[in-house]
Amino acid sequence: MNSFILKFYHGTLLGNGLRFIFHSLINSFPDKQFQKYRYFKNMGKKLRLNPPNTLNEKICWLKLNDRTPLHTQCADKYAVRDYVIEKIGSEYLVPLYFQTENVEDICDENLTLTPCIIKTNHDSGGGIFIYEKQNINWVEVRSELKERLLHNYYDKYREWQYKNIKPSIIVEKLLINKEGAIPFDYKLHCFNGKVRMIQVDMGRGTKKHYRNWYDINWNREPYKWSSPKQNGEQTDPSKEDIAKPDTFDEMVLLSNKLSEPFDYARVDWYDVDSTLYFGEITFHHDGGTKPILPEAWDLKLGQELELTTYKS
């Protein structure tokens, strides 16, 4: 029966029409109702906001209630560079090769340095990797960027900090280690200006994308907080441990400084052959709508995070 419904819903004109009407209705919801719907859809239970108790609930509460111009600046992949310079210095920034608001500027003449990554400043996710300029179809690249520039990430997930970012294109150095690989992604989750746990993503964009969790002393955490991969599996922890990077203490110190103004923030880093580069700042990891398992850890971690502006 479920198979029949799915085929009807996705494979017929009437089903596609009903799906369009349903999604249009959901997208018309006010932010709070939209968030409650997404939470229930992903978590299978109602969202509690008064009071929020678990970490996911508190992230959802922050999404709806903690909105400042600094959030917008830090979500902007171009404007955040000024914040990083102010707080910790320019030496941690990935080299910027080019920036423009005009997609027609993305061409062979302006992109003289490779390897590089081309991305927009106002969304979440990866970019276009350019390893060398031979055989690059710039028409296709510009077409993809045009689509990205038209999207407002706030409309899709209602994360307010993206709403007022002025879209632009940035071209940065593509970070590659001495082995020719993309470096591991270290994401430091900060509670009230202090690093609480570390997420390490390995093999991103592949079937072997694993996500390990460590505490501040680089001990494995007893939970997982996974995201779906493109093949439908989850980014669960790997069986093998990852060595603590040489720059770990520096990562922690700098993350504390960058997250100091915020109740909760995730600060991302890349260690490239023991040289540290800032990645980005994220305020609502996975939108606050992905289970932490065992479930008791969602509550335990939530109890450790103080919402400084919450009033019952």
Side-chain angles (χ1 to χ4, degrees):
M1 185 64 177
N2 287 339
S3 175
F4 172 79
I5 292 173
L6 286 173
K7 287 181 180 178
F8 169 78
Y9 195 54
H10 293 280
T12 68
L13 287 175
L14 179 57
N16 287 333
L18 291 173
R19 185 154 51 96
F20 175 79
I21 293 171
F22 175 74
H23 285 295
S24 297
L25 176 63
I26 297 301
N27 289 334
S28 71
F29 284 179
D31 287 355
K32 187 174 182 179
Q33 282 65 41
F34 182 90
Q35 185 60 42
K36 286 184 174 182
Y37 164 76
R38 288 201 71 242
Y39 186 89
F40 183 81
K41 178 184 176 183
N42 288 286
M43 306 288 279
K45 57 184 177 181
K46 291 183 178 180
L47 172 62
R48 295 175 301 179
L49 294 172
N50 191 23
N53 293 314
T54 68
L55 179 54
N56 274 305
E57 288 170 348
K58 289 187 174 182
I59 289 174
C60 290
W61 187 92
L62 288 167
K63 187 190 295 188
L64 294 168
N65 295 281
D66 192 21
R67 300 174 169 185
T68 70
L70 185 57
H71 284 82
T72 296
Q73 179 185 358
C74 289
D76 183 328
K77 293 180 175 62
Y78 183 62
V80 71
R81 298 174 69 90
D82 289 335
Y83 177 73
V84 171
I85 292 170
E86 175 190 344
K87 297 289 285 189
I88 62 173
S90 62
E91 61 268 31
Y92 298 101
L93 293 173
V94 177
L96 178 69
Y97 290 163
F98 193 68
Q99 187 268 342
T100 182
E101 296 173 13
N102 184 0
V103 71
E104 299 302 326
D105 290 337
I106 302 303
C107 58
D108 193 73
E109 290 77 14
N110 289 330
L111 276 65
T112 57
L113 298 174
T114 57
C116 64
I117 180 170
I118 310 172
K119 54 189 177 181
T120 52
N121 68 320
H122 68 303
D123 63 1
S124 179
I128 302 169
F129 289 15
I130 304 293
Y131 289 94
E132 52 187 39
K133 291 198 297 180
Q134 288 85 349
N135 301 318
I136 296 297
N137 188 327
W138 293 110
V139 173
E140 289 184 1
V141 170
R142 288 192 290 268
S143 178
E144 179 177 339
L145 291 170
K146 283 179 182 177
E147 289 189 19
R148 292 191 181 206
L149 289 173
L150 291 174
H151 294 160
N152 189 314
Y153 198 69
Y154 164 79
D155 293 336
K156 188 173 183 180
Y157 294 115
R158 301 296 178 87
E159 297 194 27
W160 175 88
Q161 65 272 21
Y162 294 101
K163 185 176 184 179
N164 299 311
I165 297 175
K166 186 176 181 180
S168 70
I169 301 165
I170 55 177
V171 183
E172 293 178 334
K173 178 181 179 180
L174 180 63
L175 300 178
I176 299 175
N177 62 27
K178 60 186 178 183
E179 297 173 350
I182 302 297
F184 288 166
D185 200 351
Y186 299 93
K187 302 175 182 293
L188 281 63
H189 295 245
C190 303
F191 292 9
N192 307 114
K194 298 293 182 183
V195 173
R196 169 56 182 85
M197 66 270 203
I198 299 92
Q199 163 191 346
V200 186
D201 280 77
M202 303 151 282
R204 294 188 67 181
T206 72
K207 294 180 180 179
K208 296 182 178 181
H209 182 178
Y210 296 103
R211 179 177 294 169
N212 288 2
W213 293 89
Y214 296 91
D215 66 17
I216 195 68
N217 296 310
W218 207 256
N219 299 309
R220 281 276 197 135
E221 291 278 23
Y223 55 81
K224 62 181 182 180
W225 195 2
S226 302
S227 305
K229 294 187 281 191
Q230 291 182 348
N231 62 2
E233 297 177 357
Q234 297 288 314
T235 56
D236 288 341
S238 66
K239 295 180 180 179
E240 295 78 24
D241 256 326
I242 301 301
K244 182 171 69 172
D246 294 337
T247 56
F248 179 67
D249 290 341
E250 190 176 11
M251 272 187 212
V252 171
L253 177 64
L254 298 174
S255 297
N256 290 345
K257 290 182 179 180
L258 290 172
S259 67
E260 183 271 331
F262 311 108
D263 287 352
Y264 169 84
R266 195 194 77 205
V267 186
D268 297 0
W269 299 94
Y270 299 101
D271 180 307
V272 184
D273 304 323
S274 298
T275 298
L276 192 58
Y277 291 97
F278 167 80
E280 63 180 73
I281 298 176
T282 297
F283 296 109
H284 310 118
H285 175 72
D286 268 347
T289 61
K290 294 295 184 292
I292 299 174
L293 300 173
E295 193 173 342
W297 275 92
D298 200 356
L299 179 59
K300 176 176 171 57
L301 292 169
Q303 291 172 336
E304 296 181 32
L305 173 63
E306 179 187 359
L307 300 181
T308 57
T309 58
Y310 175 78
K311 295 180 180 179
S312 59

